[in-house]
Amino acid sequence: MSKKKQTCEVIVVTSGKGGVGKTTSSAAISTGLAERGYRTAVIDFDVGLRNLDLVMGCERRVVYDFVNVIQGEATLNQAMIKDKRFDNLFILPASQTRDKDALDKDSVGRVINELKESFDYIICDSPAGIEAGAVMAMYFADQAIIVTNPEVSSVRDSDRILGILASRSHRAEEGKERIKEHLLITRFSPERAAKGDMLSVQDVQEILSVPLLGVIPESKSVLRASNEGIPVINDKDSDAGQAYSDAIKRFLGEETPMRFIEKAGIFQRLFGASTE
């Protein structure tokens, strides 16, 4: 059953460091919102690489891409790929053959505004770092999900991203209300954190001072889902899938306990979710 929001919101999924799980998170978040009935579009801003279509399982159906639309070589209707699982989820893939300089604010803004006419949420899957493509993905955002691993270099780079969100977005330029920020910690292991091999959830929160949206545990199911072209949130039996589902509930304002941040006890091991 489809829902309809009064206004469309643009959400950027971003990080300072590569390899932290942005595309996995973009796929899970967009799928989770669509599953809850919201009409959702997810855009791959990583021009030159393009991985979102692989994670979403639609790589063989890519004919036109984001840059084709930007340059007037295809319409949005031609380039958008409808998800196989949810009728209200659409993917706009990146180009593998163009340069990131192909994106400019006016053209990206035009695409975003056109999408706003028919979608409730637009998810922007940002490339890592602070180069042009990443800044472009952040520029039109209403909300930002900052993805970080619980390690010092990843958290430090995320802190830099927070500065860009606060100063170089369209909202900042127009003097509007700040982008609403959410923290998503990925690849977390309570056991390793307890040994001091990685930062604790509290450590990351204290450094970044961003409201915690979710903690995604280390899980083999993430890699397996990615290889199969299925967003891990669809794996309802895995702890990672359940953690992403919990994050969606929190994003939509539901009170949801924060699971997977403590070491598993005997009852959780016997009756809880599998880490496989």
Side-chain angles (χ1 to χ4, degrees), residues 245-264:
S245 293
D246 289 351
I248 291 295
K249 292 175 184 176
R250 290 186 204 99
F251 182 82
L252 295 173
E254 299 176 26
E255 289 288 334
T256 306
M258 195 71 66
R259 300 188 280 173
F260 312 114
I261 63 173
E262 303 293 341
K263 288 195 288 186

Side-chain angles (χ1 to χ4, degrees), residues 21-224:
K22 277 186 311 302
T23 298
T24 294
S25 297
S26 294
I29 290 161
S30 57
T31 299
L33 290 170
E35 188 176 26
R36 298 296 290 268
Y38 295 100
R39 191 168 166 83
T40 305
V42 56
I43 306 174
D44 189 347
F45 273 80
D46 205 354
V47 176
L49 290 178
R50 197 176 87 190
N51 287 311
L52 181 66
D53 54 305
L54 288 169
V55 177
M56 301 290 285
C58 63
E59 70 278 5
R60 292 184 184 87
R61 293 191 285 149
V62 176
V63 178
Y64 295 108
D65 57 52
F66 192 11
V67 175
N68 291 139
V69 176
I70 291 287
Q71 298 187 343
E73 298 162 350
T75 65
L76 261 178
N77 190 53
Q78 288 177 295
M80 298 288 282
I81 300 172
K82 187 177 179 180
D83 186 75
K84 299 173 184 176
R85 295 161 286 263
F86 298 99
D87 289 341
N88 53 350
L89 176 59
F90 290 80
I91 300 100
L92 181 56
S95 171
Q96 283 184 305
T97 59
R98 309 294 181 95
D99 188 86
K100 289 177 173 60
D101 292 337
L103 304 180
D104 65 89
K105 286 181 183 177
D106 289 342
S107 299
V108 171
R110 174 177 55 79
V111 172
I112 294 286
N113 287 332
E114 187 174 344
L115 288 171
K116 281 183 173 181
E117 294 176 6
S118 51
F119 286 92
D120 299 311
Y121 288 105
I122 300 169
I123 311 299
C124 301
D125 181 25
S126 171
I130 56 173
E131 42 90 322
V135 174
M136 195 68 65
M138 294 183 238
Y139 185 75
F140 294 98
D142 300 306
Q143 302 196 50
I145 296 174
I146 297 95
V147 183
T148 186
N149 292 160
E151 58 179 65
V152 173
S153 62
S154 180
V155 174
R156 180 194 61 195
D157 290 348
S158 293
D159 208 16
R160 179 80 186 278
I161 292 297
L162 292 173
I164 293 173
L165 287 167
S167 61
R168 295 177 63 183
S169 68
H170 181 67
R171 282 176 171 267
E173 289 180 1
E174 296 291 320
K176 296 180 179 178
E177 186 179 355
R178 286 172 60 109
I179 293 172
K180 186 176 181 180
E181 298 160 348
H182 310 268
L183 175 62
L184 187 67
I185 301 174
T186 54
R187 295 178 182 164
F188 182 74
S189 166
E191 292 79 13
R192 291 176 62 198
K195 293 177 184 176
D197 293 339
M198 63 170 53
L199 297 174
S200 69
V201 172
Q202 292 75 17
D203 290 335
V204 178
Q205 285 184 279
E206 286 176 11
I207 295 168
L208 297 179
S209 298
V210 173
L212 184 62
L213 180 66
V215 177
I216 313 300
E218 271 188 326
S219 175
K220 296 176 184 177
S221 61
V222 174
L223 180 60
R224 183 171 64 241

Side-chain angles (χ1 to χ4, degrees), residues 259-273:
R259 300 188 280 173
F260 312 114
I261 63 173
E262 303 293 341
K263 288 195 288 186
I266 181 70
F267 290 106
Q268 186 176 344
R269 287 198 298 270
L270 288 173
F271 305 109

